[in-house]
Amino acid sequence: MGAEPYYGPDFGLLRRQDPELAQVLLDELERVRGGIQLIASENFTSPAVLAALGSTLTNKYAEGYPGRRYYGGCEVVDRAERLAIERACRLFGAEHANVQPHSGASANLAAYAALLQPGDTMLAMALPHGGHLTHGSKVNFSGRWFDVVPYGVRRDSELIDYDEVRDLALRHQPKLIVCGATAYPRLIDFAAFRGIADDVGAWLLADVAHPIGLMAGGAIPSAVPYADVVTFTTHKALRGPRGGAILCTRELAARIDRAVFPFVQGGPLMHVVAAKAVAFGEAMRPEFAGYTRKVIANAQALAEALDAEGMRAVSGGTDTHLALIDLRGVGVPGVEAERRCAAAGITLNRNVIPYDPEPAAVTSGIRVGTPCVTTQGMGPEDLKELGSLVARAVRDPGGAEEVRARVTALLAIHQPYLSEF
Ligand code: DSN
C-alpha cells in the first residue's frame, strides 16, 4: 500500500505479493474466457458486485442483526445489511428478508429449523426427479433428520404430478411442503402447492434458488405471494455473489431470524451481504427485466436446437433458464457427453433425467442453462448455433477442434468481463 488510501481490490498488489495465488485467479479468468459456460446455476457477476465482495467489510464481525449486534463498531456495516434487506423486500414484494445465509443449503437448514422439529414429516421433490440435495436426500442432513416423503414427475408428461402431491399430503399429513427444483425446466404452480398445503394445514416453503432471478425480472410468476417461506441463492440467474437469502411473512420473521442466527450460523459475511445489496439494486433496473426475458428466449432456442438434433428436451421444452436433455436418442451417456463438450470448449453438467436407468455418476442426460451466455450478450441465433455445436461435440469427439474453433469465434464477439453488461 502506498501513500494513496486503499479502497478495495487491487489485482496488481496481489500479483506482486502472491504470484502463485494470483496465477490461479488469472487461470480461472482464462478458463471462462476460453469456453462457453452452459452450467444452469452459474452466472457472471458485475464488476460492482466483485468490488463489494473484495472490500474491507470482510473484516467485520457482526453477529446479530442491524441495531442489535453482539460486537461494537457495527454502525457502518448495519447500513449495508439494511440496504440489502430493504432492496430484497422491495424487489420481491416480501414482508421480511434475511440476507445472512451463507448458501442455499444454510438457508434451507435455517428454514427447516424455524418450522420443524427433528423427526417431523415433510413432503419434497425427489432428487432423481429434479429436486435439490437439501430436500430430503439420504446423504444430506435433510434426509437424515426429517421423515421425508418424496414426490416426483409423471412418467408420461415429465411434469410435477399435483394429484400425487395432494394424495401424498393427505396420506402423510406433513408439517411442511417444499416445492422448487434444481433440474425442472417448467414453471411450478405455486398456487396449487398453496392449496394443497392449506388443505392439510402444512407450511409451504418454496426453494426458488434456480428461478429467483427470473422472478426478480418479472419474466415468470413469483412464489412470494403463495409461500410462507421462500429460500434462494443469489448467484444464479440473479447474478449476485455466491450466497443465500430467505424471504418470509411478517408472522415468521422472528423465527426465521433466530434460526439463521444464532441457531445455524455465527457471524454474517458482511462483504457478501453488501454484494447482495448491490445485486438486488442491479436487479431493480429495467435492463435486468430485459435480461431475464432474454435468458428464457435463449434457453428455448437452445432446447429447440438440441431437440432438432435428436437430443430430446425433457417435458418437451422449457419455460425457464434451463433445459434437461435426454441423450438416449444419440446413445451417449451424460458423463461422456460432459467430457466431450469440455474437450470442445463447452462446459455443462451431466444430470439424471426422470426415471433414469443410469446412476447419478453416469446419467442419461445433461442440463444446460443460459444465464452466463445471456450476460455475455448472446441471442437466440447464437443459441441455435450453440445447440448444433453441442450436438456435434457429443456425437463426434473427433470433431472437437472444429467445434472449438466456432466456440472461439463466438467468444471473440461475446467475452465475459471484457464487454459492458
Ligand atoms: N447444485 C446447485 C445446482 O447446480 O443446481 C443447486 O442449487
Side-chain angles (χ1 to χ4, degrees):
M1 227 179 295
E4 285 295 305
Y6 176 73
Y7 293 112
D10 180 342
F11 189 73
L13 178 74
L14 179 64
R15 193 141 51 166
R16 288 192 296 281
Q17 201 170 295
D18 190 339
E20 198 178 0
L21 193 278
Q23 194 56 48
V24 175
L25 304 194
L26 284 175
D27 288 350
E28 172 59 7
L29 198 52
E30 188 68 19
R31 184 189 70 80
V32 294
R33 284 183 182 159
I36 297 226
Q37 315 304 317
L38 291 179
I39 304 267
S41 46
E42 293 181 0
N43 209 335
F44 302 122
T45 63
S46 70
V49 167
L50 290 181
L53 276 176
S55 69
T56 58
L57 269 60
T58 192
N59 298 329
K60 191 70 197 96
Y61 245 117
E63 284 182 4
Y65 291 100
R68 300 176 282 137
R69 304 284 190 186
Y70 290 85
Y71 288 80
C74 290
E75 57 282 358
V76 178
V77 291
D78 273 3
R79 282 165 37 211
E81 186 161 346
R82 283 201 179 98
L83 269 180
I85 292 169
E86 281 163 20
R87 287 178 186 177
C89 286
R90 204 148 30 101
L91 181 61
F92 299 109
E95 290 177 1
H96 181 72
N98 187 308
V99 294
Q100 293 191 4
H102 302 331
S103 65
S106 327
N108 283 345
L109 177 54
Y112 299 155
L115 302 173
L116 302 175
Q117 292 296 322
D120 278 348
T121 302
M122 70 180 209
L123 204 59
M125 192 163 185
L127 184 62
H129 282 227
H132 282 273
L133 182 69
T134 51
H135 291 189
S137 165
K138 284 289 170 211
V139 296
N140 181 258
F141 71 87
S142 52
R144 191 181 303 174
W145 292 347
F146 303 107
D147 170 28
V148 182
V149 179
Y151 60 84
V153 298
R154 288 174 61 101
R155 198 181 270 275
D156 52 2
S157 61
E158 299 173 316
L159 300 176
I160 291 173
D161 186 343
Y162 294 93
D163 293 333
E164 182 203 27
V165 176
R166 178 179 299 280
D167 288 348
L168 289 170
L170 290 169
R171 196 166 347 128
H172 295 276
Q173 296 291 312
K175 204 161 163 191
L176 174 69
I177 297 179
V178 182
C179 57
T182 180
Y184 186 69
R186 297 301 189 170
L187 296 182
I188 288 176
D189 186 345
F190 299 111
F193 271 106
R194 176 76 265 167
I196 297 167
D198 286 345
D199 285 349
V200 297
W203 297 110
L204 179 63
L205 165 66
D207 176 347
V208 291
H210 265 270
I212 188 74
L214 308 179
M215 291 173 185
I220 63 170
S222 170
V224 173
Y226 302 101
D228 300 293
V229 177
V230 173
T231 56
F232 61 97
T233 50
T234 45
H235 50 267
K236 298 188 174 89
L238 188 53
R239 215 158 61 182
R242 185 158 293 278
I246 304 179
L247 308 171
C248 66
T249 56
R250 204 169 286 114
E251 176 200 357
L252 286 171
R255 276 164 82 162
I256 288 290
D257 283 354
R258 276 197 304 273
V260 174
F261 170 84
F263 190 78
V264 168
Q265 293 183 178
L269 312 175
M270 294 314 299
H271 58 309
V272 183
V273 167
K276 288 172 188 171
V278 175
F280 295 147
E282 290 176 351
M284 284 174 187
R285 296 191 194 140
E287 54 268 32
F288 190 80
Y291 163 73
T292 59
R293 286 194 297 273
K294 279 186 215 147
V295 166
I296 297 174
N298 279 346
Q300 289 170 338
L302 179 59
E304 277 164 28
L306 289 168
D307 213 70
E309 297 276 354
M311 295 167 68
R312 189 183 71 88
V314 167
S315 84
T318 179
D319 304 318
T320 64
H321 61 301
L322 70 85
L324 190 58
I325 305 299
D326 177 357
L327 297 175
R328 288 175 298 178
V330 291
V332 180
V335 64
E336 182 59 20
E338 180 186 297
R339 203 188 56 73
R340 290 181 186 181
C341 285
I346 300 170
T347 306
L348 47 74
N349 65 281
R350 65 180 174 277
N351 214 104
V352 288
I353 57 171
Y355 305 97
D356 202 322
E358 299 294 342
V362 179
T363 82
S364 300
I366 50 172
R367 186 184 66 164
V368 290
T370 51
C372 289
V373 290
T374 309
T375 295
Q376 284 167 265
M378 292 193 199
E381 286 305 315
D382 300 311
L383 271 294
K384 271 191 214 161
E385 174 168 10
L386 264 179
S388 55
L389 292 176
V390 167
R392 217 168 135 202
V394 169
R395 279 213 195 87
D396 173 22
E401 279 315 309
E402 280 170 43
V403 174
R404 190 181 270 281
R406 274 311 302 157
V407 163
T408 305
L410 276 170
L411 286 168
I413 309 167
H414 304 290
Q415 279 256 312
Y417 293 117
L418 277 188
S419 52
E420 286 292 316
F421 58 83

